[in-house]
Structures are given as C-alpha cells and as structure tokens.
Amino acid sequence: MSEPVVTPAPRRPRPSVVTLTPAAADRVRALLAANPDKVGLKIGVKNGGCAGQEYVFSLTDVVSSFDEAVDFDGARVVIEGKAILYLIGTEIDWEVTPLASKFVFRNPNQTDACGCGESVTITPATG
C-alpha cells in the first residue's frame, strides 16, 4: 500500500507590509541606481527621540530570512523583521519642499509624534 501524495494548497497572496507612492518609488529607484551593489532600501524602527521611536533607513546588500522584501516596479524596500508589526499598512511618500526632501510615513499604527517630527510613538498592529 503506498502513501497518499499530499499536495499543499497554493498560498494566497499576502498584502504588502508597506506601499510606496510613485514619488517614493522613484526616489528608491534613484538610490538603488546610484548604488548598484545594493539590493534595496532597508527600513526599520529603533528606540530613540523624545517620542520614543524613530524610523531608520539604510541601503542593504542582504535580505535576511526575517526581513520582508517588497518590490514596486524596480523599487525594492526591505522591511526589517522586528519592524514589520509596527509598519503594517504604512504608506511611504517622498516629499520635496523648499527647505527639505524626505520620506514621509503615513502609518496607521502611529499614535503620537514629537513637535519636530523626528520621532514617533508606534504601537504594533493587532489582528
């Protein structure tokens, strides 16, 4: 008697942890084009600042097994594994004003921000 062959059901696609606006995707593509040895823009959250947490960025050449890589037409962002629950549902934009150019996070998990805008308070997503 032979063992039955069990074929796992195909996984349903998961929603992206974050989304990028077209302006943010353009900026990420430009950063990666200027640094061809890097595979993505790594985004994380660290403790710091007057509100308790800060978003952090770095270009990376590695995607670890705990990270989540998200591609937007050639703009790859790599979400640090320990930051995923803090960033679920976040839209990232690239904003240019007369005084600054910066990534802007529209994070539904953010509950507070300091007056200068450099640090935030984020609670992990639930459900």
Side-chain angles (χ1 to χ4, degrees):
M1 192 170 230
S2 63
E3 292 289 318
V5 176
V6 178
T7 305
R11 290 182 160 234
R12 63 184 171 92
R14 293 186 312 187
S16 294
V17 174
V18 299
T19 57
L20 298 180
T21 65
D26 288 345
R27 181 62 182 152
V28 171
R29 278 191 292 275
L31 289 169
L32 294 175
N35 297 277
D37 59 324
K38 303 300 180 184
V39 298
L41 176 66
K42 192 163 195 173
I43 301 172
V45 175
K46 72 172 190 168
N47 291 335
C50 51
Q53 296 159 307
E54 300 173 339
Y55 297 111
V56 292
F57 309 91
S58 63
L59 291 171
T60 187
D61 52 4
V62 173
V63 179
S64 84
S65 60
F66 295 107
D67 296 340
E68 180 97 12
V70 183
D71 291 302
F72 296 91
D73 296 323
R76 176 180 271 186
V77 293
V78 179
I79 308 301
E80 190 175 304
K82 63 183 180 181
I84 291 172
L85 286 177
Y86 293 97
L87 296 176
I88 290 175
T90 298
E91 178 187 65
I92 302 171
D93 195 9
W94 177 251
E95 185 177 274
V96 178
T97 67
L99 297 177
S101 300
K102 62 184 177 179
F103 285 107
V104 175
F105 287 73
R106 294 183 187 96
N107 186 342
N109 308 304
Q110 182 176 317
T111 58
D112 197 12
C114 68
C116 67
E118 291 296 318
S119 67
V120 293
T121 303
I122 310 169
T123 57
T126 59

